[in-house]
Amino acid sequence: MRFILFLLVLTALVSCSESKSDEPVNKCTTVDCEEWQSCNSDNGMCELTEGRCLTNDDCDNNKSCNLTTHLCETITNPCDGITCSGFGNCMIDNNTAKCNCNTGYHADGLNCVIDVVDNCADADCEEWQTCNSDNGVCELTIGRCVTNDDCDNNKICNETTHLCETITNPCDGQTCSSHGDCEVVNNSPVCNCYNGYHAEGLNCVEIISDVCDGVTCSNNGYCIERLGVAMCECKYNYVSVTGTDCTHLYDLFYDAINTQNESKLQTFWDNYDGPIRKDGKVLFVTRGTANEAIKLAGTFNSWNQNTHSMTSTFNATYKFQEILTTNNDEIWYKYIGGSWYADPNNLYFKFNDDDNSIVYPEGSSRLMSFNLNSTELNDQTDRIIYVYLPADYFLSWNKYPVMYMQDGNNTLNGSPYAPFGTWDIDLNADEAIENNMAKPVIIVAVTPLNRNNEYLHTVIERLGNTPKLDKYINYLINTLKPFIDSNFRTLTDKENTAIAGSSLGGISSFFIAWQNPDVFGKAGVFSPSSWIGEDDECCATQSDTIRTLINSTVIMPDLKIYIDSGDSNFDTTKTYEADSRGYTDWVRNLLIRKGFDGRSEYNEPNQSMPVDYQITTLYSTVPSLFWSKTTPNGYSDYYDYLKPQNNLLHIIGEDHMHNEPAWSQRFYGALIFLFPKE
């Protein structure tokens, strides 16, 4: 019994022990997890609660982990707005935008850029060459050379440095004894002597010859020897008939018809350029068919077409009429031959509403116009050239300096082709010359056919231009200037030849003179577009600026430069950027640093050089020399104000905008600076 009881007790103990070992143990009873974690009772470890996170990897794609709440939150698509430069597709990798680029492109950040093959890796270029990355070919660096053909006119290639260097002008220092002009022929100086002188080496000496002994050409000419024969060189409206006299065209005409001398009549006609004034009479001559009836009307007869019929000479194709005048005023007229028409044989003109012909007063300047197309620019229509001839041109035998002007259609008083006004260069030149401030100058105004193409050296996208400045320069130098020098009495050397213009015509004038100083020794640069390449204007870059042109020039050209700008925008507000004032200041400052003449008016007090101010600078704080028509306070006279002995003048037009009226005002002083009366 006692044994049985023992077995029962033992069985109960074993049963109790087995019951306790099967019960699960909770290992989390002492674990303290974060609120976004749950304790794993099997191991007592804190683990992420479902739907909670610690890093972005714990979230579904396109969601990120909020490190504060530890909740997965939907994020904006990282690829929104990413185009991969149009050469690939944006993809999301680990919640981050990345570019999967097309073949031939690679990812650079969030852009796909073309794979560039370094074609120049093995190129061994000379120091004066630059490798072309497109083909790996060594090419000339800009401004360097191998032969003279790589250089601009009047420059030669230094075969050691491979730099284009300006050659010394063979005419420098050659005066031809002050009786002629030195010209370069085959790189050698040659004297082109004035009438009455001939060249002996580089001197012009007076012609002393027995053939001129006793030959009197009166006050209207002087005797010269031509191929051993005495000839009279005559003034305007006089002509030498026998070779030893000067006869007024008026007298020659009446001599011809009184003697019925066909040869003299032909000589008269060869020299006739419009109605002739003499002693209060005006002689009109024209030509028509033998039986044609032609009448004359004008301001002298109140435009009455019935009072003045043209008379035929012994050669009935010549018709003439003479009128008396009581003053030296200009006369307007037309011919009538079935209809009214302007005089086709009058070389001179003045703008007027009715296309009337003009007889200029004696002793006045005159205007001419003609067409001279450019083969260089492949002109398909007539290119008009206007010429201003100073009054002195018709009173002497002298030769004259020449100023070539851009935008010829805007230059002359009364031009109907100037929608924004004119420069009135004819009136301004008359005033400066009559005031004895400027030399008498011939002004040649060239009308562009496409100014955006002809005046620009680079592409400006909004102007839609194709740069043709190089071809335009060739036209000026190879076609127009030789024509002017052959048909007018001009001083042909660089010191007596200028180029001038405004805006695009201003910057092109600078480029033309700077690159051709052997032809154009002076430049009038009005309100130049000196912003080109300086601001964000497609497609010009820093390499297209005036400053880059100056900096890339090894030897500074021998030039005299007038440059200016206004200070006002079109709405009359003023900024330092108005009319490119700030950019033009930078050009002036660089010229001065390169050796051109500076002035104290350009500088801060006690400073020797001007400062390049930021374009955002307050305009009124920038030191400037302001334009004035008369002598400002502080200067002894107008020459002291302009200082024409300097090779640089920079003027600011106060309250001047970018327009023709402003340039007209400033032209007076510019002409005096460039061509002062000695």
Side-chain angles (χ1 to χ4, degrees):
M1 184 67 182
R2 194 178 287 179
F3 177 74
I4 294 172
L5 181 60
F6 173 77
L7 288 176
L8 291 172
V9 171
L10 180 61
T11 301
L13 290 173
V14 172
S15 175
C16 181
S17 175
E18 288 178 353
S19 173
K20 287 184 178 180
S21 65
D22 289 340
E23 183 179 337
V25 177
N26 185 355
K27 297 183 178 182
C28 292
T29 55
T30 60
V31 176
D32 186 15
C33 294
E34 301 287 347
E35 67 84 22
W36 40 272
Q37 294 176 320
S38 299
C39 180
N40 188 328
S41 60
D42 293 335
N43 53 26
M45 300 294 293
C46 292
E47 299 176 351
L48 282 174
T49 303
E50 184 176 357
R52 309 300 283 272
C53 60
L54 182 60
T55 68
N56 291 340
D57 293 338
D58 301 323
C59 299
D60 294 337
N61 197 24
N62 205 34
K63 288 189 177 183
S64 65
C65 184
N66 186 320
L67 298 180
T68 301
T69 64
H70 292 277
L71 291 171
C72 291
E73 298 177 350
T74 300
I75 61 172
T76 303
N77 188 343
C79 278
D80 284 350
I82 305 300
T83 65
C84 297
S85 308
F87 299 112
N89 299 312
C90 182
M91 57 182 291
I92 300 173
D93 183 11
N94 195 23
N95 291 318
T96 302
K98 293 186 178 180
C99 281
N100 182 21
C101 297
N102 300 339
T103 302
Y105 294 82
H106 66 277
D108 182 4
L110 291 177
N111 295 303
C112 287
V113 297
I114 192 169
D115 295 332
V116 178
V117 178
D118 187 4
N119 292 315
C120 292
D122 299 323
D124 186 18
C125 297
E126 302 287 349
E127 67 87 20
W128 39 270
Q129 293 177 317
T130 301
C131 179
N132 187 328
S133 60
D134 293 334
N135 52 27
V137 175
C138 293
E139 300 174 348
L140 274 178
T141 303
I142 295 175
R144 309 303 283 271
C145 60
V146 176
T147 68
N148 292 341
D149 292 338
D150 301 321
C151 299
D152 294 336
N153 193 26
N154 204 35
K155 289 188 177 182
I156 60 174
C157 184
N158 184 318
E159 295 182 358
T160 301
T161 64
H162 292 277
L163 290 171
C164 292
E165 299 178 351
T166 302
I167 61 175
T168 302
N169 188 335
C171 279
D172 284 349
Q174 304 298 338
T175 64
C176 296
S177 308
S178 299
H179 298 299
D181 303 317
C182 184
E183 298 179 353
V184 179
V185 179
N186 295 327
N187 289 321
S188 298
V190 174
C191 282
N192 180 17
C193 299
Y194 301 153
N195 292 328
Y197 294 84
H198 68 275
E200 289 186 1
L202 291 176
N203 295 304
C204 288
V205 297
E206 187 176 3
I207 296 173
I208 302 176
S209 174
D210 292 340
V211 297
C212 278
D213 287 350
V215 177
T216 301
C217 298
S218 73
N219 293 328
N220 304 307
Y222 57 91
C223 182
I224 62 170
E225 178 186 355
R226 187 169 294 164
L227 300 177
V229 178
M231 299 288 292
C232 282
E233 192 75 12
C234 303
K235 288 197 303 185
Y236 175 75
N237 260 354
Y238 287 81
V239 62
S240 178
V241 178
T242 65
T244 58
D245 68 341
C246 286
T247 302
H248 199 286
L249 283 176
Y250 177 93
D251 299 325
L252 177 61
F253 177 77
Y254 282 107
D255 181 27
I257 63 174
N258 289 335
T259 61
Q260 298 191 8
N261 187 314
E262 188 73 40
S263 176
K264 289 183 178 180
L265 188 59
Q266 185 62 49
T267 299
F268 166 85
W269 190 247
D270 290 342
N271 290 274
Y272 180 82
D273 61 5
I276 302 167
R277 300 186 92 132
K278 185 183 180 186
D279 301 331
K281 296 169 287 190
V282 182
L283 174 64
F284 297 81
V285 182
T286 189
R287 297 195 70 174
T289 61
N291 298 320
E292 185 178 3
I294 301 175
K295 296 180 180 181
L296 174 68
T299 52
F300 55 87
N301 70 346
S302 301
W303 296 99
N304 189 327
Q305 61 179 313
N306 298 314
T307 62
H308 289 72
S309 296
M310 304 293 284
T311 302
S312 297
T313 70
F314 67 93
N315 180 335
T317 62
Y318 289 88
K319 322 284 184 177
F320 72 99
Q321 178 60 257
E322 183 179 295
I323 66 170
L324 298 176
T325 62
T326 58
N327 54 50
N328 191 36
D329 294 342
E330 61 188 23
I331 297 171
W332 295 95
Y333 71 98
K334 273 186 177 177
Y335 290 125
I336 310 164
S339 61
W340 296 67
Y341 62 95
D343 186 352
N345 302 304
N346 188 342
L347 296 186
Y348 307 102
F349 86 101
K350 191 173 184 180
F351 287 117
N352 64 97
D353 293 335
D354 297 316
D355 193 29
N356 296 322
S357 299
I358 187 173
V359 182
Y360 276 95
E362 289 186 284
S364 71
S365 61
R366 302 186 187 186
L367 303 178
M368 295 178 62
S369 69
F370 55 87
N371 298 323
L372 187 65
N373 282 354
S374 166
T375 56
E376 296 85 352
L377 289 159
N378 192 28
D379 287 353
Q380 300 299 313
T381 185
D382 291 331
R383 184 184 294 270
I384 300 176
I385 308 298
Y386 298 106
V387 179
Y388 163 88
L389 295 170
D392 192 67
Y393 190 88
F394 303 98
L395 302 173
S396 73
W397 303 276
N398 295 334
K399 295 183 178 181
Y400 299 87
V402 182
M403 174 182 279
Y404 291 85
M405 291 286 299
Q406 319 274 45
D407 286 310
N409 44 308
N410 299 336
T411 56
L412 300 176
N413 176 254
S415 171
Y417 312 112
F420 306 109
T422 68
W423 289 52
D424 295 343
I425 61 169
D426 43 345
L427 305 185
N428 277 298
D430 281 349
E431 184 179 2
I433 295 168
E434 289 169 4
N435 288 344
N436 208 33
M437 298 294 290
K439 293 178 181 178
V441 177
I442 296 173
I443 302 177
V444 179
V446 187
T447 299
L449 296 184
N450 188 321
R451 70 189 306 273
N452 290 346
N453 289 349
E454 294 168 19
Y455 294 167
L456 277 168
H457 58 288
T458 188
V459 173
I460 302 297
E461 188 176 48
R462 65 183 171 87
L463 299 180
N465 68 300
T466 301
K468 294 184 179 180
L469 179 60
D470 56 340
K471 294 181 174 60
Y472 178 66
I473 293 173
N474 288 335
Y475 167 68
L476 293 179
I477 294 176
N478 300 324
T479 298
L480 180 58
K481 188 176 187 298
F483 180 89
I484 296 298
D485 291 339
S486 297
N487 289 278
F488 298 90
R489 301 195 310 274
T490 65
L491 297 170
T492 61
D493 60 299
K494 66 177 185 179
E495 286 78 9
N496 288 290
T497 307
I499 181 78
S502 65
S503 192
L504 296 182
I507 191 173
S508 65
S509 293
F510 189 98
F511 270 71
I512 291 167
W514 192 267
Q515 295 173 323
N516 301 276
D518 55 320
V519 179
F520 302 98
K522 301 179 179 181
V525 185
F526 296 79
S527 298
S529 302
S530 45
W531 50 264
I532 291 177
E534 297 281 10
D535 62 7
D536 186 17
E537 181 77 50
C538 181
C539 295
T541 65
Q542 188 67 35
S543 64
D544 298 307
T545 65
I546 295 181
R547 293 194 293 166
T548 298
L549 174 69
I550 297 171
N551 274 321
S552 64
T553 304
V554 178
I555 300 176
M556 293 297 100
D558 181 17
L559 287 175
K560 187 173 188 178
I561 300 173
Y562 168 90
I563 189 168
D564 70 17
S565 65
D567 68 350
S568 300
N569 298 297
F570 287 121
D571 61 0
T572 72
T573 59
K574 295 184 179 184
T575 62
Y576 191 44
E577 194 173 6
D579 200 21
S580 295
R581 176 183 174 183
Y583 301 126
T584 304
D585 275 6
W586 296 351
V587 173
R588 175 205 64 196
N589 297 346
L590 180 57
L591 288 172
I592 294 172
R593 289 194 291 269
K594 292 290 187 178
F596 280 76
D597 295 324
R599 292 182 59 159
S600 61
E601 293 93 329
Y602 308 147
N603 308 338
E604 293 283 0
N606 303 318
Q607 297 294 317
S608 60
M609 295 292 286
V611 174
D612 285 350
Y613 295 94
Q614 295 295 319
I615 290 298
T616 55
T617 301
L618 180 63
Y619 74 94
S620 58
T621 65
V622 180
S624 300
L625 177 64
F626 289 99
W627 168 84
S628 176
K629 180 67 178 290
T630 58
T631 305
N633 292 333
Y635 302 92
S636 59
D637 56 28
Y638 203 58
Y639 275 5
D640 183 39
Y641 162 61
L642 295 179
K643 293 185 173 27
Q645 71 274 14
N646 290 355
N647 63 1
L648 176 65
L649 173 63
H650 178 242
I651 293 284
I652 299 297
E654 196 168 10
D655 300 321
H656 286 194
M657 292 182 282
H658 188 86
N659 57 26
E660 281 75 9
W663 302 324
S664 175
Q665 291 184 68
R666 304 201 294 266
F667 182 80
Y668 176 83
L671 185 66
I672 295 172
F673 173 77
L674 293 174
F675 295 102
K677 186 68 178 291
E678 296 176 354

